[in-house]
C-alpha cells in the first residue's frame, strides 16, 4: 500500500514538473492585394489610349501574380513549420511513452522486491 502511495506521489509530482511552452506565434494580419486596376476605356477608345491601357493591364497582372507568389511563399513556410512542430510533438510523445514504459517496468520490479520474490 505504501508503494502505491509513493508511486501516485511520483506520478503527480512529475506531471507538474514542467509547464509546456507555446512556440506558436500569433497569426499575422491578412495581407491585402494592393494592385491598381486600370480603368477600362471601352472598345471605342483611341489606339494610343488602348495601348496605354494594355500596359497598365499588364502591370496589374504582374502585380497580382507577385502578390500570389508572396502568399504562396507564406503558405510554404507555414507548412514547413507545421511539419517541424508535428515531428517535435511526435518525438515528445515517443519520449513520454518510453518513460512511461520504463517507469512501469521499474515499479513492477519494486513491487516484486517488496513482496520478497
Amino acid at each position: 500500500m505504501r508503494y502505491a502511495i509513493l508511486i501516485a506521489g511520483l506520478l503527480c509530482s512529475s506531471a507538474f514538473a514542467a509547464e509546456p511552452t507555446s512556440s506558436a506565434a500569433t497569426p499575422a494580419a491578412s495581407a491585402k492585394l494592393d494592385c491598381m486596376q486600370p480603368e477600362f476605356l471601352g472598345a471605342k477608345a483611341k489606339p494610343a489610349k488602348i495601348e496605354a491601357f494594355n500596359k497598365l493591364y499588364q502591370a496589374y497582372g504582374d502585380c497580382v501574380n507577385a502578390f500570389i507568389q508572396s502568399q504562396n511563399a507564406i503558405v510554404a513556410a507555414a507548412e514547413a513549420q507545421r511539419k517541424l512542430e508535428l515531428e517535435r510533438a511526435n518525438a515528445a510523445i515517443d519520449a513520454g511513452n518510453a518513460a512511461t514504459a520504463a517507469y512501469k517496468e521499474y515499479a513492477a520490479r519494486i513491487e516484486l522486491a517488496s513482496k520478497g520474490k
Side-chain angles (χ1 to χ4, degrees):
M1 179 66 174
R2 75 190 138 128
Y3 291 109
I5 293 171
L6 176 65
I7 291 170
L10 287 172
L11 285 174
C12 289
S13 65
S14 65
F16 297 107
E19 290 283 326
T21 58
S22 174
S23 64
T26 56
S30 296
K32 293 184 181 179
L33 180 63
D34 191 23
C35 299
M36 189 75 154
Q37 293 178 344
E39 184 179 337
F40 181 65
L41 305 172
K44 296 183 180 181
K46 294 182 181 182
K49 290 199 175 211
I50 290 174
E51 188 176 326
F53 169 81
N54 287 340
K55 287 180 183 178
L56 291 173
Y57 182 75
Q58 179 65 41
Y60 175 67
D62 293 343
C63 181
V64 170
N65 286 332
F67 177 79
I68 291 168
Q69 288 176 353
S70 71
Q71 297 307 296
N72 286 340
I74 292 169
V75 170
E79 282 294 317
Q81 183 64 32
R82 181 199 60 81
K83 183 180 177 187
L84 289 174
E85 291 295 327
L86 184 59
E87 289 172 358
R88 184 173 160 240
N90 286 336
I93 290 169
D94 292 344
N97 289 340
T100 300
Y103 176 79
K104 285 180 180 180
E105 187 271 331
Y106 179 71
R109 283 190 293 149
I110 289 176
E111 185 70 26
L112 285 174
S114 69
K115 292 181 181 180
K117 295 183 179 181

